[in-house]
Amino acid sequence: MMNATPSDRKSSTLSRRQFLATAGGITITITAYGLAPSMGLSQKEGKRKAEDKQLTVWVRLEPNGQLTIYNPAAEMGQGSMTALPVILAEELDADWSKVRIENAPIEPDVYGLDRGDHKIMLTVGSWSVKGYFNSLRQAGAQARYVLLNSVANHWQVPLSELKTDAGLVTHQKSGRQVSYGEITSFIKIPASIPEIPEEQLKRPDQFRLIGSVLPRYDIPAKVDGSALFAMDVQVPGMLYGVIERGTIHGSQPTLQNEQAIRSLEGIVELVMLEYGVGIVATSLEKALNAKKRIKIQWSEDVKAVGHSSQEAFALYEKMANEDQSGEILTEKGNVSESLKTAAKTYSADYKNDYVYHAQMEPLNAIASVAADGMSAEIWAGTQAPGSVADTIAEALQIDPSRVTFHQHFLGGGLGRRSNHDYIIEAARLSKAVSKPVKVLWTREDDLRYGMYRPMSLQRLQASVDASGSLTGLSHCVVGDGGGLLTSGANNEFYAIPHQHLEVRAVENGIRLKHWRAVGHGPNKFAIESFIDEIATGQGIDPYAFRRTLMKESPRALQTLEKAAEMAQWNTPPKEGRARGIAFGERSGSLCTGICEISLDREKGKIRVHHFWSAVDAGIVVQPDNVVAQMEGGILMGMSSVLSESITINQGKVQQSNFHDYPLLRITDIPERIDIAMIPSEEPPQGIGEASLPVVAGAIANAFAALTGKRLRHLPFTPDRVLEALKG
Amino acid sequence: MPTFSLKINGQNQTVDTEPQTPLLWVIREHLGLMGTKFGCGISQCGACTVHVDGHAMKACSLPVSAMANGQEIITIEGLSEDGSHPLQKAWIKAQVPQCGYCQSGQIMQAATLLNTNPNPTREEILDHMRGNLCRCGTYMRILVAIQEAAKASQGQTLNND
Ligand code: FES
Ligand code: FES
């Protein structure tokens, strides 16, 4: 569900490297040594030498056997920088200890994900492993072909008699073998490389690297402080830029004390933007000092001023009551009929506040726009490297080929970094002073001028027939944000004959964006809570109730049964504790989560003691990383479910930093998180967002099991918990 | 502009800046030691954690003028020469980092615990690490890595600051 996907570069992109197209549609290069960038991993990369051979666009081989594989995705913590090269190395039959990883050049035509009529370099929606799996297997097989073909010619033996094994080519008949590195001395890169047919690729039972536990490539640099994030880049002659933004989205500034600010020491330029005032100074502290002193009058004739989030829920409720339906997204069977004829009906409203990304590295970028304004160099960490050149070219009114972009590690993406607003700012400030400028957002900027996961209200209604079967489910989502609101609201894994999904739209003038798992967070909360409410109403165990609903979805059912087995669902929890269960699917992965909680009834504080989760993500490329992503999703889920809330009062964002927007701290982690992966030979699916959507439902359902009360408004802050207990 | 002399990672450094400038900007932008990170600027996240005379402190909230009295300041770059501090090894073994942005701060914070308490309990570890946020949710592994490093040190404190 990527409704606000940034436009990416189409196939007209100018290539900085020289590529030869081949019959198979895969390109190879034989000329471009020394041009692939080596960003992110500081200066530790090896130097390229003339003896190095570029096997294909994806792989470079050195005489000592060192292989360099290009990573096409942004690395923001999800680990695909390692997982993607593993896929290629598997088919290449590489010796993993000799693999080095570099970021791929920003050339979507070559390194992009196939999106039908064009290719893009965009890391969102947990696409990477899923989307690149087939093409990287092919790329690995083709690089292996280049090696085998050279050896076959060199030894004058049929290619079919050659075998490979972890960095070696062997010819059994003659007992000869040669290492990949040695092949560079006689290698011939063919002018065209055939497409390797699927049946010649490895079968899952032949995988050596895929599915084994390999350490992540980026980790050593992330424990000694040498990993380079964009924030860490310094460019000679660089100035510093900060921007004072309002607390009302869309509000326009009028600067009140320009003279006073300009006369501060070290201030180089003030840049008027539509939504703020940019300050360029000789040092960061000088820029921040001026930002503190700046006086701005903010226009109040903007949409957001009419919006107060906690009052908006009353309006949303009224909208849900109206007879007129909104935009209908799913209509299966006839829900209104099933509600009319039901033996029993259920209805409940669920709500969720705005939440903020809070990626740990505040937004920042460096731009160096040439004095003539006709070219630009950019350093940033972005989920959408493939569209930086076009976006900056448009902002500066120059040709995209004149934009050079350097990608860096992302200190968290979470959906926020697929928008280029912060990079455009750096370009605009740099252009104003014709010098390189590092633009840094303070945490307050990042939070208040954030792009939030939208607040929403969800009305669910259900019909149950005389036999106790769930026959119809109607789901009405009210809110602002279009597709951001509705991802995850469909129930393809529950056999419910009559289903209706609609969205009733409002506009609040608040900046909104994809946030890890997008609409799945709120929607799975509502659906999974509601399923539990129905099960309880029917006097059926919520696990047993879901088992019946999943009768036509064996893979989903397997995750449910596995999680129940892990959590020993059939045994009573300890005194004072209760368990809750929830299911969700996201980016193709199926996931069941169960948690065990207790409650401080005085303080209204929920404590999660244990979280179990079973996931079917298809073929698992990097099992330990899947566990890490599942753990991370559960903890970020707990954070958002238990404490995160952005509130807006007459357009003003009420929070500003981590003291009033608290994130989960280590003191609140469960005693254990247990993850099981269902073995599978199906294609791999996205894993970065798989576990987060089930957390809210699992906790709400455990709370209901413990107290008999429902929590129907995210987050479950102590105030709301105490109120629910009273109700 | 006043000049300040600092002792960072065993080296004397001089910087010209205003007295109120946070140590964090001095370390990062003046001296180019980029392992110490900016996360919040108000002592809430711990991304900027460094050691000052052996204590874990938040560099975003220390004015440089208060740090120029001969204190020994250690950053992640000075924790070990080659990333071989027992905690760094344990961090790799447990595959802790995801985005990695908070991790210098986490490791610097953890190091002062093991310096004084070689056998911390789970609760002691969690309490000690409470000021360090990780948005990626690596807390489970941070705990494991600290426990592993404590085990590996066999009851000895890790005093290499
Ligand atoms: S930046 Fe210092 S504690 Fe957050
Ligand atoms: S590893 Fe990303 S914030 Fe901790």
Side-chain angles (χ1 to χ4, degrees):
Chain A
M1 291 278 168
M2 309 305 308
N3 72 318
T5 301
S7 74
D8 219 286
R9 296 179 77 180
K10 298 265 157 68
S11 45
S12 62
T13 317
L14 262 182
S15 177
R16 273 171 287 117
R17 301 174 66 191
Q18 202 180 339
F19 291 106
L20 305 173
T22 71
I26 294 287
T27 52
I28 61 155
T29 175
I30 23 185
T31 56
Y33 309 125
L35 288 173
S38 57
M39 272 87 64
L41 283 174
S42 69
Q43 294 80 22
K44 288 180 182 166
E45 306 298 338
K47 288 268 169 309
R48 232 142 296 188
K49 295 175 284 316
E51 309 86 72
D52 298 355
K53 300 296 175 199
Q54 193 80 32
L55 300 185
T56 72
V57 290
W58 290 99
V59 191
R60 196 175 75 241
L61 175 61
E62 295 172 32
N64 63 7
Q66 185 89 43
L67 282 161
T68 300
I69 301 178
Y70 299 135
N71 158 43
E75 180 54 64
M76 47 193 176
Q78 84 283 30
S80 56
M81 177 186 200
T82 308
L84 297 178
V86 162
I87 299 167
L88 189 153
E90 181 73 69
E91 286 302 327
L92 174 54
D93 233 352
D95 173 355
W96 184 253
S97 70
K98 299 223 162 130
V99 170
R100 182 161 61 206
I101 299 166
E102 287 183 13
N103 279 343
I106 311 300
E107 308 210 352
D109 295 347
V110 180
Y111 300 102
L113 267 174
D114 219 326
R115 303 300 288 173
D117 60 339
H118 68 293
K119 288 176 153 196
I120 57 177
M121 288 177 87
L122 176 68
T123 310
V124 297
S126 305
W127 288 351
S128 295
V129 166
K130 178 182 179 177
Y132 277 109
F133 189 68
N134 289 334
S135 55
L136 288 180
R137 293 184 77 201
Q138 182 60 225
Q142 290 188 317
R144 180 172 171 271
Y145 170 85
V146 171
L147 296 173
L148 290 180
N149 189 53
S150 293
V151 175
N153 285 334
H154 192 64
W155 287 347
Q156 292 295 306
V157 298
L159 192 146
S160 60
E161 289 181 3
L162 296 173
K163 293 213 164 4
T164 55
D165 180 28
L168 288 177
V169 177
T170 55
H171 184 243
Q172 219 181 355
K173 269 195 195 156
S174 62
R176 279 179 290 185
Q177 68 172 42
V178 59
S179 74
Y180 284 8
E182 288 163 336
I183 299 173
T184 55
S185 64
F186 56 82
I187 196 165
K188 295 257 179 332
I189 313 278
S192 86
I193 306 175
E195 185 91 11
I196 311 296
E198 170 81 30
E199 60 273 16
Q200 284 178 29
L201 304 183
K202 289 186 183 177
R203 293 186 314 273
D205 63 2
Q206 296 172 308
F207 289 160
R208 222 168 22 85
L209 300 173
I210 290 176
S212 72
V213 173
L214 299 169
R216 272 175 59 157
Y217 191 77
D218 53 338
I219 281 184
K222 289 177 174 177
V223 306
D224 67 10
S226 67
L228 277 184
F229 298 84
M231 178 108 63
D232 305 331
V233 172
Q234 288 185 320
V235 174
M238 183 177 91
L239 300 172
Y240 292 85
V242 296
I243 291 162
E244 178 64 6
R245 309 155 206 271
T247 53
I248 302 176
H249 294 183
S251 181
Q252 294 186 346
T254 312
L255 180 56
Q256 306 287 295
N257 59 344
E258 177 164 353
Q259 269 328 306
I261 297 298
R262 281 192 187 274
S263 64
L264 291 172
E265 194 199 326
I267 299 305
V268 178
E269 190 57 279
L270 295 177
V271 184
M272 302 303 150
L273 306 169
E274 306 75 41
Y275 55 88
V277 179
I279 303 160
V280 182
T282 53
S283 75
L284 181 53
E285 52 270 27
K286 289 191 168 72
L288 288 169
N289 178 41
K291 179 165 151 71
K292 258 186 227 143
R293 284 155 205 261
I294 205 163
K295 289 204 174 63
I296 293 171
Q297 175 145 14
W298 294 99
S299 69
E300 297 224 331
D301 54 344
V302 295
K303 178 104 204 155
V305 168
H307 178 59
S308 293
S309 54
Q310 301 313 297
E311 282 155 33
F313 282 117
L315 169 73
Y316 285 18
E317 204 176 317
K318 231 173 82 198
M319 288 174 66
N321 290 340
E322 277 162 18
D323 291 332
Q324 182 70 35
S325 63
E327 187 193 346
I328 294 169
L329 300 176
T330 304
E331 196 69 87
K332 187 180 150 196
N334 187 337
V335 170
S336 25
E337 199 50 40
S338 80
L339 284 167
K340 263 187 232 141
T341 57
K344 197 165 176 190
T345 61
Y346 292 83
S347 176
D349 286 358
Y350 302 89
K351 300 171 199 160
N352 63 286
D353 292 356
Y354 292 105
V355 293
Y356 154 62
H357 294 92
Q359 76 294 340
M360 281 312 288
E361 180 193 17
L363 298 175
N364 66 88
I366 295 146
S368 178
V369 178
D372 66 2
M374 295 311 288
S375 66
E377 194 165 357
I378 307 285
W379 295 259
T382 166
Q383 293 177 245
S387 56
V388 170
D390 279 355
T391 308
I392 297 306
E394 196 185 319
L396 297 175
Q397 292 295 302
I398 60 175
D399 193 277
S401 68
R402 305 295 306 276
V403 179
T404 309
F405 170 60
H406 307 282
Q407 169 77 311
H408 289 269
F409 281 129
L410 283 66
L414 308 174
R416 179 64 183 89
R417 279 190 161 95
S418 57
N419 185 298
H420 293 319
D421 50 345
Y422 57 103
I423 308 179
I424 296 172
E425 287 176 351
R428 290 178 72 178
L429 266 54
S430 171
K431 184 175 170 158
V433 294
S434 295
K435 290 227 169 68
V437 176
K438 179 190 275 192
V439 165
L440 180 131
W441 292 42
T442 62
R443 178 58 65 186
E444 289 79 7
D445 292 332
D446 200 282
L447 184 147
R448 290 201 198 115
Y449 203 62
M451 303 175 95
Y452 312 126
R453 183 178 79 182
M455 62 176 282
S456 68
L457 178 138
Q458 333 236 353
R459 172 155 304 168
L460 276 77
Q461 293 168 280
S463 58
V464 174
D465 67 14
S467 73
S469 297
L470 177 54
T471 51
L473 181 67
S474 160
H475 188 158
C476 171
V477 186
V478 186
D480 189 0
L484 296 178
L485 292 170
T486 51
S487 88
N490 271 315
N491 296 291
E492 35 177 324
F493 299 94
Y494 289 147
I496 306 171
H498 304 281
Q499 293 195 39
H500 169 89
L501 170 64
E502 65 169 277
V503 57
R504 300 188 178 187
V506 285
E507 270 177 44
N508 295 324
I510 302 299
R511 286 152 54 88
L512 305 170
K513 188 79 179 69
H514 311 83
W515 186 98
R516 195 174 189 177
V518 198
H520 281 65
N523 287 317
K524 293 303 175 200
F525 161 57
I527 292 165
E528 292 299 307
S529 295
F530 195 50
I531 295 284
D532 249 56
E533 296 203 38
I534 299 167
T536 309
Q538 298 297 121
I540 303 172
D541 173 77
Y543 163 63
F545 193 62
R546 283 180 179 79
R547 284 198 58 183
T548 314
L549 287 173
M550 284 180 180
K551 60 185 179 226
E552 288 158 24
S553 306
R555 289 181 72 185
L557 181 60
Q558 234 188 332
T559 70
L560 191 83
E561 289 178 341
K562 181 71 194 170
E565 176 199 317
M566 292 161 75
Q568 299 186 288
W569 182 265
N570 293 329
T571 66
K574 275 194 204 153
E575 180 65 27
R577 295 194 186 179
R579 296 191 197 113
I581 186 167
F583 168 79
E585 84 296 331
R586 169 70 186 162
S587 312
S589 285
L590 310 174
C591 171
T592 298
I594 297 179
C595 69
E596 185 169 300
I597 67 161
S598 66
L599 174 66
D600 181 333
R601 287 173 194 256
E602 233 94 283
K603 298 202 180 101
K605 191 173 158 69
I606 296 170
R607 171 136 218 114
V608 178
H609 294 277
H610 204 143
F611 213 106
W612 299 266
S613 182
V615 63
D616 180 344
I619 290 173
V620 167
V621 176
Q622 285 272 268
D624 185 53
N625 191 49
V626 167
V627 172
Q629 288 304 302
M630 293 291 290
E631 288 170 357
I634 288 165
L635 293 183
M636 183 167 165
M638 280 174 57
S639 183
S640 63
V641 167
L642 296 176
S643 67
E644 293 179 38
S645 166
I646 292 281
T647 54
I648 289 162
N649 189 12
Q650 296 179 342
K652 289 207 172 78
V653 179
Q654 301 294 294
Q655 291 72 27
S656 63
N657 203 320
F658 295 132
H659 64 290
D660 53 13
Y661 189 86
L663 304 184
L664 186 88
R665 292 190 179 272
I666 197 169
T667 36
D668 289 321
I669 58 173
E671 282 115 63
R672 283 188 66 115
I673 295 180
D674 288 311
I675 307 294
M677 291 165 274
I678 307 287
S680 169
E681 294 195 355
E682 298 294 319
Q685 303 295 330
I687 194 64
E689 301 165 287
S691 63
L692 190 140
V694 303
V695 177
I699 294 178
N701 294 338
F703 184 86
L706 189 64
T707 65
K709 314 279 184 185
R710 296 301 316 187
L711 293 167
R712 295 201 188 92
H713 191 158
L714 285 170
F716 310 149
T717 54
D719 285 353
R720 288 196 184 137
V721 167
L722 292 175
E723 209 182 295
L725 287 175
K726 269 190 256 147
Chain B
M1 226 176 342
T3 299
F4 299 94
S5 299
L6 305 175
K7 203 166 169 208
I8 300 193
N9 299 334
Q11 291 188 329
N12 291 315
Q13 308 269 11
T14 23
V15 287
D16 294 336
T17 185
E18 294 77 13
Q20 288 311 309
T21 300
L23 177 64
L24 179 60
W25 303 142
V26 170
I27 291 174
R28 289 180 49 81
E29 301 296 342
H30 290 260
L31 302 175
L33 293 168
M34 293 300 183
T36 309
K37 303 300 187 197
F38 164 62
C40 68
I42 59 162
S43 284
Q44 286 286 318
C45 76
C48 64
T49 305
V50 297
H51 296 175
V52 178
D53 288 339
H55 300 287
M57 309 270 269
K58 306 219 160 67
C60 67
S61 304
L62 298 170
V64 62
S65 54
M67 290 292 111
N69 310 311
Q71 293 100 323
E72 298 269 358
I73 299 163
I74 305 287
T75 68
I76 185 77
E77 290 88 351
L79 184 68
S80 68
E81 265 184 16
D82 50 1
S84 63
H85 186 281
L87 280 167
Q88 290 171 313
K89 287 197 204 152
W91 240 248
I92 291 175
K93 180 145 180 264
Q95 294 281 292
V96 176
Q98 291 188 23
C99 84
Y101 194 76
C102 72
Q103 299 294 342
S104 300
Q106 305 278 4
I107 292 169
M108 294 306 280
Q109 180 69 25
T112 59
L113 174 65
L114 297 190
N115 283 350
T116 53
N117 182 353
N119 286 311
T121 63
R122 182 180 191 273
E123 292 324 303
E124 285 170 337
I125 294 173
L126 299 187
D127 278 345
H128 183 84
M129 298 303 294
R130 189 171 190 282
N132 289 67
L133 292 174
C134 175
R135 184 47 150 176
C136 297
T138 66
Y139 295 137
M140 307 305 287
R141 289 168 185 241
I142 287 174
L143 175 62
V144 168
I146 296 174
Q147 287 170 332
E148 285 291 318
K151 230 189 267 164
S153 70
Q154 298 184 314
Q156 304 292 305
T157 54
L158 300 173
N159 250 327
N160 45 356
D161 284 12

